Structure formats: C-alpha cells, structure tokens
Amino acid sequence: MELTWTMFLIVCPMVFLAGFVDAIGGGGGLISLPAYYLAGVPIHHALATNKMSSASGTIISTIRICRNAVIRWRLAAPAVALALFGSAIGTRLAMLTDERILKHVLMAVLPVVAFFVLRKNSLVSEKAERLSARKEAAITWIGALAVGAYDGFYGPGTGTFMIIILIGFARMPSMEAAAYTKLVNLSSNVASLVTFLFSGQVVILLGLAAAVFSIAGHYAGSGLVLKNGARIIRPIILAVLALLFLKLIFDL
C-alpha cells in the first residue's frame, strides 16, 4: 500500500495518546487501532501494524510491573505458551476473514469492549478468598488461551478482559494479576505481530514510527499522576469511537 504524510500525521499523535491513556488507566487499544483505520489504512493492514506499535509500548509496562511482582513461573509459563498459541490462531483467522466481515465485526465488538474498559473498576473484586492452586491455574490458563485468541483476531481491551478474569474469577491480588496480565498481553502481541509479519500485512515504516510514539506515550503516562484521570480518558475514548463508527458506516 502507498504511504502518505497524512497517515503519519493522524496515526502517530493518536498512538502517542493511546500509550499515554494505556499507562494511566488502560484502554489505549480503543484509540490506537481506530487511528490506523481513520488514517485510511486497510483493515487487515491496520490490525497488523497496530500490533507493532502496541507490542512496543507493552514491553515497557510489562518490565515496569514485573519488577515489582513475584512471578510464579509454574503458573506463568503455561499461560504464556497458551497465549502465544491462541494469538497465532486468532491472527490466522483474522487474515482469512473478508474485510467487509471484519468491518461488521468491528462495529459489533467495539461497544462491548468499550463498556468493559470504561467499567473495569466496578467489575472486579479482591475481597473473596483465594482459590486452590489447581482451580487458579485452570482459570488462568483457559483465560490466557481465550484472551490470546481474541488479541490475535482483534485486540483492544485484551488487558482489561484478562485482569477481570484473574481478579474476578481466579481471585488474585491486583498487583499479581497485573503482572500475569502483562505477560499474557505481551506474549499474544508478539505472536500476532510475528504471524502478521510473515504474511506481509505489517506496514513497516508506519509501524516503526508509531512504535516510537507508543513508547513515548507510555513513558509520559507512567510518570504522570492524575487524580481525575478517568474523567480525561473516558471522553477521549468515546470521541475516537464515535469517529470510527462514522467512518465505518460511511464505508459500508
């Protein structure tokens, strides 16, 4: 596909904003993926190139969180492997899906993902007793496979869904759940990116430029403490989703 300066001018600032939002409260994928599509990048290329920028930012946040958490590798290693497998399968499915069908899927899934992201804090609880190691592992591993497949096929909201599974169903403490969520998210991002790279769907130059802005956004967001962060993040996400909906309807 032919690159234009307009694509860079739209994608890079919005990916920076996505990284900034993601570092503060999550939900950046609801901005970064629409950014590519709004810039005129075909939907398969948008899904692929978004993986390059999102994986770059996820590396930063994964390292930061995992440094402050004790990782039980007997639990984490199978989760990582299942996330890699699920993501590769989901990515293959996305590449085989017709572009018009993907647009309809996008319109159907976006409101659901937005609801979970914006309502994340009210959907999880840490007051319940911890489960047995066997039940905790089963929920974590099944969740990693399912979330990995979703991330490979689509992506936005992956971290939110995994954190809900780990805190709400596996009953992990938030810091521990955040560390495993980042490991799963990074694994699924990498598997999907590699699969897309081999298929030739990634727009390399645009993806590399966006990756720099994603890292900068994560760095800026992680160093900023906002008491009213949700009040800023939610209108941004809703505005981007509204723009994407209008473009999707116009293109159908």
Side-chain angles (χ1 to χ4, degrees):
M1 60 166 286
E2 184 180 351
L3 286 173
T4 65
W5 284 108
T6 304
M7 290 179 178
F8 287 91
L9 291 174
I10 293 174
V11 168
C12 290
M14 289 187 71
V15 168
F16 173 86
L17 182 62
F20 184 82
V21 166
D22 213 38
I24 296 171
L30 289 169
I31 299 173
S32 61
L33 178 58
Y36 291 96
Y37 192 64
L38 290 171
V41 179
I43 196 161
H44 284 97
H45 292 291
L47 287 166
T49 311
N50 182 55
K51 291 300 178 188
M52 179 173 282
S53 56
S54 63
S56 304
T58 303
I59 289 172
I60 302 300
S61 53
T62 300
I63 292 172
R64 188 180 69 247
I65 288 177
C66 289
R67 277 179 177 175
N68 298 310
V70 177
I71 306 297
R72 291 176 284 152
W73 287 105
R74 280 191 175 184
L75 179 66
V80 166
L82 288 165
L84 288 167
F85 176 73
S87 180
I89 296 300
T91 303
R92 287 288 182 186
L93 182 60
M95 289 190 295
L96 293 172
T97 304
D98 182 78
E99 182 172 339
R100 188 173 180 84
I101 295 174
L102 274 178
K103 289 179 181 178
H104 283 91
V105 170
L106 198 63
M107 291 188 69
V109 171
L110 268 175
V112 178
V113 176
F115 170 80
F116 277 102
V117 170
L118 298 176
R119 297 276 296 174
K120 174 176 56 180
N121 294 333
S122 64
L123 293 172
V124 297
S125 173
E126 300 185 61
K127 296 180 180 179
E129 293 183 9
R130 295 198 68 160
L131 299 176
S132 67
R134 183 175 294 181
K135 288 182 179 179
E136 182 186 60
I139 292 171
T140 301
W141 295 342
I142 292 170
L145 178 63
V147 167
Y150 167 77
D151 192 26
F153 184 78
Y154 180 49
T158 298
T160 295
F161 291 138
M162 194 65 198
I163 206 81
I164 289 172
I165 290 169
L166 293 181
I167 297 179
F169 295 97
R171 301 180 188 173
M172 284 187 189
S174 58
M175 190 63 196
E176 191 177 349
Y180 292 122
T181 293
K182 285 300 180 183
L183 286 171
V184 167
N185 199 2
L186 179 59
S187 302
S188 61
N189 270 339
V190 169
S192 183
L193 175 59
V194 170
T195 306
F196 274 128
L197 281 169
F198 276 108
S199 72
Q201 298 282 354
V202 180
V203 185
I204 302 293
L205 287 178
L206 183 60
L208 289 174
V212 173
F213 280 82
S214 177
I215 292 170
H218 273 82
Y219 182 82
S222 64
L224 186 64
V225 179
L226 290 177
K227 292 182 179 179
N228 297 318
R231 294 184 181 180
I232 298 173
I233 291 168
R234 295 181 185 212
I236 291 172
I237 291 175
L238 292 174
V240 172
L241 291 180
L243 286 172
L244 178 61
F245 255 69
L246 288 174
K247 181 168 177 57
L248 285 169
I249 292 171
F250 180 78
D251 288 347
L252 288 177

